[in-house]
Amino acid sequence: AQKVTQAQTEISVVEKEDVTLDCVYETRDTTYYLFWYKQPPSGELVFLIRRNSFDEQNEISGRYSWNFQKSTSSFNFTITASQVVDSAVYFCALSVLLTGGGKLIFGQGTELSVKP
Amino acid sequence: NAGVTQTPKFRVLKTGQSMTLLCAQDMNHEYMYWYRQDPGMGLRLIHYSVGEGTTAKGEVPDGYNVSRLKKQNFLLGLESAAPSQTSVYFCASSYSVLAGINNEQFFGPGTRLTVL
């Protein structure tokens, strides 16, 4: 069975602080994708990044960076110099392509509050 | 390009009433999904479709039915609404589920359903 765990339910930081959101996943499949989505207060889900199971390179996009480690089954997300606009719920998700029809298995989400 | 749209945005039902949620996408995506989002539980898959005329059960299918008569539309039906179906419903679509091809899911804005 597949599972995604985001142990941090809520995180509160002050603007300009760095913050890391943890994601741990479980799957027995060797081919899978990991995703991060952002859900701002307006409610829509915004795609942030996709990473496949064969690519362990870290990725940086502006103030966002992702650390994928298969050895610990983790796909953590770091926001550098956080801003108030980063306040949102962030979801980590797992997709097992070959057997899962591409469906996403979501973690419970981490609510990030960035205070000015 | 409207992306993924959902109708209606809000709805209030009484227990036992029926309704249909409509999801439409104009990106020629093959795969479509219905999720529900409940507090503290992330998003959970209700049903999904891997192509026109096909549907499959997800994680929480009981009490729901779906149809995919046209490639661009995916309907979610509640035959006899129950208070436990109070939730936010998200539709999503993706071009592919194959490794190496764009397979991120694009989400609609959500439908907030309350069953009294």
Side-chain angles (χ1 to χ4, degrees):
Chain A
Q2 289 85 32
K3 184 179 179 182
V4 176
T5 302
Q6 295 178 255
Q8 305 150 307
T9 305
E10 297 179 8
I11 299 176
S12 182
V13 299
V14 176
E15 208 169 17
K16 297 185 183 177
E17 282 186 27
D18 298 347
V19 57
T20 296
L21 282 60
D22 298 332
C23 173
V24 175
Y25 63 93
E26 297 175 27
T27 181
R28 292 180 181 176
D29 291 80
T30 56
T31 302
Y32 53 88
Y33 274 76
L34 296 162
F35 300 81
W36 276 94
Y37 282 86
K38 174 182 179 180
Q39 186 175 44
S42 51
E44 74 273 22
L45 282 152
V46 179
F47 164 76
L48 295 178
I49 191 171
R50 170 187 64 241
R51 173 66 70 221
N52 74 58
S53 53
F54 299 106
D55 182 2
E56 285 195 73
Q57 281 189 340
N58 292 332
E59 177 144 348
I60 298 174
S61 176
R63 296 183 297 106
Y64 295 170
S65 63
W66 291 268
N67 181 264
F68 176 32
Q69 292 194 340
K70 288 179 72 172
S71 60
T72 56
S73 297
S74 65
F75 187 43
N76 297 336
F77 173 30
T78 297
I79 301 175
T80 303
S82 60
Q83 299 177 1
V84 173
V85 293
D86 295 327
S87 296
V89 180
Y90 291 87
F91 291 99
C92 180
L94 167 70
S95 176
V96 177
L97 303 181
L98 295 181
T99 59
K103 56 182 181 272
L104 290 171
I105 298 144
F106 283 84
Q108 301 92 322
T110 297
E111 182 171 5
L112 174 64
S113 176
V114 182
K115 301 187 187 309
Chain B
N1 221 357
V4 181
T5 58
Q6 292 182 232
T7 309
K9 289 186 170 51
F10 303 94
R11 186 72 185 269
V12 178
L13 291 179
K14 294 181 180 178
T15 297
Q17 287 185 320
S18 63
M19 78 163 294
T20 299
L21 282 67
L22 170 64
C23 175
Q25 52 92 6
D26 61 1
M27 297 175 282
N28 199 34
H29 284 176
E30 202 68 38
Y31 301 85
M32 297 188 75
Y33 310 83
W34 275 108
Y35 296 89
R36 59 177 289 173
Q37 181 179 20
D38 301 296
M41 301 188 73
L43 281 79
R44 294 179 293 167
L45 182 68
I46 305 171
H47 286 280
Y48 64 102
S49 169
V50 300
E52 182 178 323
T54 72
T55 63
K57 293 181 180 180
E59 183 184 357
V60 288
D62 293 342
Y64 305 95
N65 56 74
V66 288
S67 64
R68 183 102 180 266
L69 299 179
K70 294 182 179 181
K71 186 177 182 179
Q72 63 268 32
N73 296 336
F74 195 28
L75 279 65
L76 178 70
L78 286 73
E79 290 187 349
S80 180
S84 61
Q85 293 178 304
T86 294
S87 187
V88 180
Y89 292 85
F90 285 96
C91 176
S93 70
S94 67
Y95 175 73
S96 168
V97 298
L98 298 178
I101 300 176
N102 293 338
N103 56 13
E104 66 266 30
Q105 291 184 18
F106 294 87
F107 284 80
T111 294
R112 188 173 295 274
L113 174 65
T114 301
V115 183
L116 302 174

